[in-house]
């Protein structure tokens, strides 16, 4: 019972702390004093300072405003016109459009100890401008470096056959890993694609020889099956001819027609052995 109460107290304290972090921080007396002086300065030089206070961001951009080093309202400004205090406020523009970059070719040792060179492309965008500015120094560069490391880690546990045949699964695994890692930076990884897999020249020759041998083996098997089917057909044809002797004469005439269609100068006439046997028997 005591443990449950302690856990509830910890949850309550953590929840209170989160709510307190979500509230805008107080600037203090000195901060408010500087802001008042800045406002007086703007009012005193109103025609000039109005151009220093008005800022514009495009439809695809957001502005993160820092007032005396603190983020204002925990919410980005834009698109359109917004106002800043020239003496106390600074802001950073964040582009929300999808960014694509090429992963440089990486020399990777696969699970079956084969060295390959793999490159890819990553598409990502900023979904939380506050986190992309406050939680990481350079979100774009950090995402690029993380993509290279993730490519090595994901492909290092794959065999060469899986690497060549399951590119879609590898892309999905990389996207999931990158999206989980960059979520705290306000980055959303939309798509990851494997562009090219370069194999060593010796390995290419070995795979080509293996494929050629496999094709020759299949060709021999197909030829053997054709010979077997042909022998069965000839056996059935011989049985039909044996039952009807006139079928042999028709086959002979059909063969002559085929030879004559090719316009050959020589035609071979087969002589039945039965006729020769009759002449030999009469001579004897």
């Amino acid at each position: 019972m005591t443990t449950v109460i302690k856990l509830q107290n910890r949850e309550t304290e953590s929840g209170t702390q989160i709510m307190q972090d979500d509230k805008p921080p107080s600037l203090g007396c000195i901060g408010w004093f500087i802001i008042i002086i800045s406002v007086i300065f703007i009012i005193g030089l109103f025609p000039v300072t109005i151009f220093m206070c008005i800022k514009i961001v495009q439809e695809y951009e957001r502005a993160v405003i820092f007032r005396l080093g603190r983020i204002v309202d925990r919410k980005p400004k834009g698109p359109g016109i917004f106002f800043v205090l020239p003496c106390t406020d600074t802001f950073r523009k964040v582009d929300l459009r999808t960014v694509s970059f090429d992963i440089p070719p990486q020399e990777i040792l696969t699970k079956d100890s084969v060295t390959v060179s793999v490159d890819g492309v990553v598409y990502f965008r900023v979904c939380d401008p506050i986190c992309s500015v406050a939680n990481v120094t350079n979100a774009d560069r950090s995402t690029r470096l993380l993509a290279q490391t993730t490519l090595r880690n994901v492909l290092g546990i794959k065999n060469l056959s899986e690497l060549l045949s399951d590119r879609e699964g590898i892309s999905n695994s990389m996207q999931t890993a990158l999206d989980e890692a960059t979520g705290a930076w306000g980055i959303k990884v939309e798509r990851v694609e494997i562009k090219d897999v370069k194999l060593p020249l010796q390995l290419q020759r070995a795979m080509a020889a293996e494929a050629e041998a496999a094709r020759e083996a299949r060709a021999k098997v197909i030829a053997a099956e054709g010979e077997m089917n042909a022998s069965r057909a000839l056996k059935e044809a011989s049985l039909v001819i044996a039952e009807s002797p006139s079928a042999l004469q028709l086959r002979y005439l059909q063969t002559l027609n085929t030879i004559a269609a090719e316009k050959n100068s020589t035609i071979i006439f087969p002589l039945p052995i039965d006729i020769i046997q009759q002449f030999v028997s009469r001579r004897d």
Side-chain angles (χ1 to χ4, degrees):
M1 189 67 179
T2 305
T3 306
V4 175
I5 293 174
K6 289 182 178 179
L7 290 175
Q8 291 179 352
N9 291 335
R10 290 178 180 176
E11 292 178 357
T12 304
E13 292 175 357
S14 60
T16 304
Q17 185 178 2
I18 292 173
M19 293 179 63
Q20 290 176 355
D21 292 339
D22 292 338
K23 293 180 180 179
S26 177
L27 298 176
C29 297
I30 299 177
W32 284 110
F33 177 73
I34 295 174
I35 291 174
I36 292 172
I37 293 177
S38 178
V39 172
I40 294 173
F41 174 76
I42 293 172
I43 295 173
L45 301 176
F46 177 72
V48 178
T49 55
I50 188 63
F51 298 101
M52 301 172 61
C53 296
I54 295 177
K55 301 296 180 181
I56 300 175
V57 292
Q58 304 295 330
E59 180 67 29
Y60 52 84
E61 294 177 336
R62 297 295 183 270
V64 180
I65 302 176
F66 293 88
R67 179 164 295 167
L68 298 178
R70 299 178 183 272
I71 297 177
V72 178
D73 296 336
R74 295 292 177 181
K75 185 179 180 181
K77 301 295 182 181
I81 299 175
F82 63 95
F83 297 90
V84 296
L85 299 177
C87 300
T88 61
D89 292 356
T90 58
F91 70 95
R92 287 183 58 181
K93 291 183 180 180
V94 179
D95 197 333
L96 302 183
R97 292 176 294 182
T98 300
V99 180
S100 63
F101 67 90
D102 294 328
I103 302 176
Q106 304 291 315
E107 294 289 338
I108 298 171
L109 184 64
T110 60
K111 188 177 180 180
D112 49 355
S113 301
V114 178
T115 303
V116 295
S117 178
V118 183
D119 59 353
V121 60
V122 178
Y123 299 87
F124 72 95
R125 61 181 177 85
V126 177
C127 61
D128 190 345
I130 300 293
C131 293
S132 66
V133 172
N135 293 352
V136 63
T137 303
N138 191 332
D140 182 85
R141 183 172 180 273
S142 300
T143 304
R144 294 172 186 267
L145 295 177
L146 184 61
Q148 298 179 20
T149 306
T150 305
L151 180 64
R152 289 177 175 271
N153 294 337
V154 172
L155 298 184
I157 59 176
K158 300 289 185 179
N159 295 326
L160 180 60
S161 58
E162 297 176 352
L163 178 59
L164 297 176
S165 61
D166 191 19
R167 292 193 179 186
E168 184 177 358
I170 294 173
S171 299
N172 293 334
S173 300
M174 283 191 60
Q175 180 180 354
T176 302
L178 283 174
D179 203 14
E180 292 178 355
T182 58
W185 303 341
I187 301 294
K188 173 65 178 177
V189 179
E190 296 180 342
R191 192 176 184 86
V192 179
E193 291 293 340
I194 301 298
K195 292 176 59 178
D196 190 16
V197 179
K198 296 181 180 179
L199 303 177
L201 184 59
Q202 295 180 354
L203 182 59
Q204 292 181 13
R205 293 176 179 174
M207 294 178 66
E210 181 182 1
E212 184 178 359
R215 286 194 297 268
E216 290 179 356
R218 287 196 298 268
K220 291 180 179 180
V221 171
I222 293 173
E225 291 179 353
E227 292 291 338
M228 183 176 62
N229 295 332
S231 63
R232 291 177 180 176
L234 289 175
K235 178 182 178 182
E236 294 177 0
S238 64
L239 294 176
V240 173
I241 292 174
E243 293 177 358
S244 178
S246 60
L248 181 62
Q249 185 67 20
L250 293 175
R251 180 61 181 167
Y252 168 68
L253 294 176
Q254 184 179 4
T255 304
L256 287 179
N257 187 21
T258 304
I259 295 173
E262 297 179 358
K263 298 180 180 180
N264 294 327
S265 59
T266 303
I267 298 178
I268 300 175
F269 291 93
L271 184 65
I273 299 177
D274 297 338
I275 298 176
I276 298 176
Q277 289 179 353
Q278 291 179 3
F279 283 108
V280 171
S281 60
R282 289 179 181 179
R283 186 177 179 179
D284 294 338

